[in-house]
Amino acid sequence: MTNDDGYYGTWGTTTQAAPSGNYWQNLYNPAGDYARCYWDSTHIISAYAVYELPFGKGKQFGHDMPEAANAVVGNWSVNPIVSWHTGFPLTASGSNTSGTGTPETRPNCNGPVSYPKTVSVQGLQWFSPSAFSTPATGTFGNCPAQGPAIGPGYVDVDFSLQKNFPITETMKIQFRTDFLNAFNHPNFATPNFSFGTPTFGVINASQDAREIQFALKFYF
């Protein structure tokens, strides 16, 4: 929780954590901006493993296999990295109806936010604008500084496959293949949170698709 998230954040167009403004909506009421931090995710799973396959010379399977066969099936390892988290709270910004000239303005929140997730020519309608409205003239919006809308979650599995070719006890050559976002899962960017615009609540960008890279290393 915070009453001012400061000048932090990625500020990128395809990221999921989008900071709100850096000033209080009402300078005489800092507590009015007390809300969830924009990077607050309710559930997070982050795990990795380094597993050397039990195949090849001196291993559980193929303990006494010939050198030629061991050169093909021996000394392999796999290394997955799993990242999953739920979405971040979003900021809804609006037009200045307070008359104070504050650079931070928010709309009114009128009830629970719905998530239709419908597709149109504009993009993916992540949340519905129906839960928001324009404050009366001379008043501040009652939406929290971050929330109540929650952005899309994140799912990613990175995977590395490695093959070692021992030369001596201290030297080896390693060939590896790395799969970033191995299952090509779409991770959507932050929706437009500018209230009153035609694309309010719409997502029209995503993070990178699957990437594959190869590397050859000499360890000594």
Side-chain angles (χ1 to χ4, degrees):
M1 304 292 290
T2 182
N3 67 355
D4 190 349
D5 60 15
Y7 284 94
Y8 298 100
T10 56
W11 300 91
T13 57
T14 61
T15 57
Q16 294 185 329
S20 67
N22 312 113
Y23 307 94
W24 294 314
Q25 180 178 228
N26 181 356
L27 294 178
Y28 297 98
N29 183 26
D33 281 40
Y34 190 70
R36 293 174 61 186
C37 298
Y38 70 85
W39 62 87
D40 178 33
S41 184
T42 305
H43 304 289
I44 299 175
I45 293 177
S46 182
Y48 72 93
V50 177
Y51 180 64
E52 186 174 332
L53 298 181
F55 303 102
K57 197 167 185 179
K59 304 294 176 61
Q60 182 178 359
F61 303 102
H63 183 275
D64 298 317
M65 69 171 49
E67 289 291 344
N70 183 67
V72 177
V73 301
N75 300 307
W76 285 93
S77 65
V78 293
N79 310 299
I81 301 175
V82 178
S83 301
W84 173 87
H85 65 72
T86 52
F88 300 110
L90 303 174
T91 297
S93 60
S95 58
N96 191 341
T97 59
S98 68
T100 62
T102 176
E104 307 305 334
T105 56
R106 300 191 290 273
N108 281 338
C109 289
N110 304 320
V113 178
S114 62
Y115 299 86
K117 302 179 184 179
T118 53
V119 179
S120 68
V121 293
Q122 295 177 320
L124 175 67
Q125 187 71 51
W126 179 255
F127 64 83
S128 173
S130 61
F132 303 86
S133 64
T134 303
T137 302
T139 65
F140 294 104
N142 64 15
C143 281
Q146 285 83 230
I150 304 298
Y154 180 85
V155 178
D156 179 63
V157 176
D158 297 331
F159 186 83
S160 176
L161 182 64
Q162 303 176 2
K163 164 68 173 175
N164 291 317
F165 298 91
I167 300 174
T168 66
E169 287 189 5
T170 59
M171 294 189 295
K172 67 179 178 181
I173 294 175
Q174 182 188 85
F175 172 77
R176 61 183 294 158
T177 306
D178 299 320
F179 299 85
L180 307 178
N181 192 4
F183 297 105
N184 206 30
H185 185 277
N187 289 302
F188 298 119
T190 303
N192 175 18
F193 46 80
S194 182
F195 177 71
T197 60
T199 57
F200 180 60
V202 172
I203 297 175
N204 52 26
S206 64
Q207 299 192 26
D208 291 336
R210 180 194 298 117
E211 296 181 6
I212 303 175
Q213 62 184 18
F214 302 94
L216 189 65
K217 297 182 178 181
F218 174 52
Y219 288 87
F220 61 93

